[in-house]
Amino acid sequence: MKKLLPALCSLQLFLLTGCCWYCVDDDIPPMNNYEAVIITRAELESAVQVLPPHAIEKAGKIYIKDNLMFINDKNQGFHVYNYSNPQNPLPVAFINTPGATDLAVRNNTIYINQAVDLLTLQYNPDTNTIQVTKRNRNVFPQKEAPDASYTGLDNDEIIIDWQLK
């Protein structure tokens, strides 16, 4: 029995420290630190419009095509600049597209990811106007929270952003 005592003590110490490894993990961030910014499908679709220029709040990707420069305002839309003089870009408009983070341009067609949808817009350089020509619904998954938390949604609800609680 005296020979088994050190082995039993070692086993007990091993089991105790093993349990602590499972109880505490500093590498896992706390969950549910973010709250979804949710709008209805009708609000998402009716929000798309060309507005006067305004200040950038959260700059994202930049895209230059010919004499136009687009700067994403994360999850809000795109600022459009006249880029014919790169030393002095002039603000032209703001394309309000809640939930948008990226775009591509081919000829005069602009493609924007607006939350879960893919928008197609036509730019007319003669009149300097932009018109939505097509909307492909539910092409992209709902936006994920930075901490991978989840929120339940109704069928017509769309996440356009996540904010810290």
Side-chain angles (χ1 to χ4, degrees):
M1 188 67 168
K2 288 184 181 184
K3 290 182 179 181
L4 288 177
L5 190 57
L8 288 174
C9 288
S10 296
L11 179 61
Q12 185 179 14
L13 182 62
F14 174 76
L15 290 174
L16 285 173
T17 56
C19 288
C20 290
W21 287 333
Y22 283 103
C23 296
V24 179
D25 191 346
D26 293 332
D27 295 335
I28 298 175
M31 297 295 278
N32 299 322
N33 287 327
Y34 292 87
E35 184 174 20
V37 178
I38 300 171
I39 62 176
T40 65
R41 167 143 309 273
E43 291 170 321
L44 181 82
E45 293 183 14
S46 67
V48 178
Q49 55 186 315
V50 179
L51 301 173
H54 66 267
I56 297 172
E57 293 179 28
K58 294 188 303 186
K61 295 180 179 182
I62 298 172
Y63 192 96
I64 298 171
K65 171 72 167 119
D66 300 328
N67 290 330
L68 292 177
M69 177 172 64
F70 299 87
I71 300 177
N72 177 240
D73 209 332
K74 291 182 185 177
N75 295 310
Q76 294 183 38
F78 291 89
H79 298 271
V80 184
Y81 291 83
N82 179 326
Y83 199 65
S84 57
N85 178 359
Q87 279 67 37
N88 187 27
L90 300 172
V92 173
F94 177 72
I95 305 172
N96 190 60
T97 47
T101 56
D102 207 352
L103 95 162
V105 180
R106 182 170 184 187
N107 300 323
N108 290 332
T109 305
I110 303 168
Y111 302 92
I112 296 177
N113 78 318
Q114 185 191 18
V116 295
D117 294 352
L118 176 63
L119 288 181
T120 305
L121 299 93
Q122 196 65 41
Y123 171 67
N124 183 332
D126 298 330
T127 60
N128 201 30
T129 58
I130 296 172
Q131 178 183 358
V132 176
T133 57
K134 188 172 184 182
R135 174 182 293 274
N136 294 47
R137 293 180 174 165
N138 302 313
V139 172
F140 305 107
Q142 291 279 2
K143 290 183 176 288
E144 293 182 9
D147 65 356
S149 59
Y150 175 77
T151 188
L153 296 172
D154 288 338
N155 284 341
D156 74 330
E157 292 183 323
I158 296 168
I159 300 169
I160 59 168
D161 200 356
W162 287 89
Q163 296 176 343
L164 280 170
K165 286 184 181 178

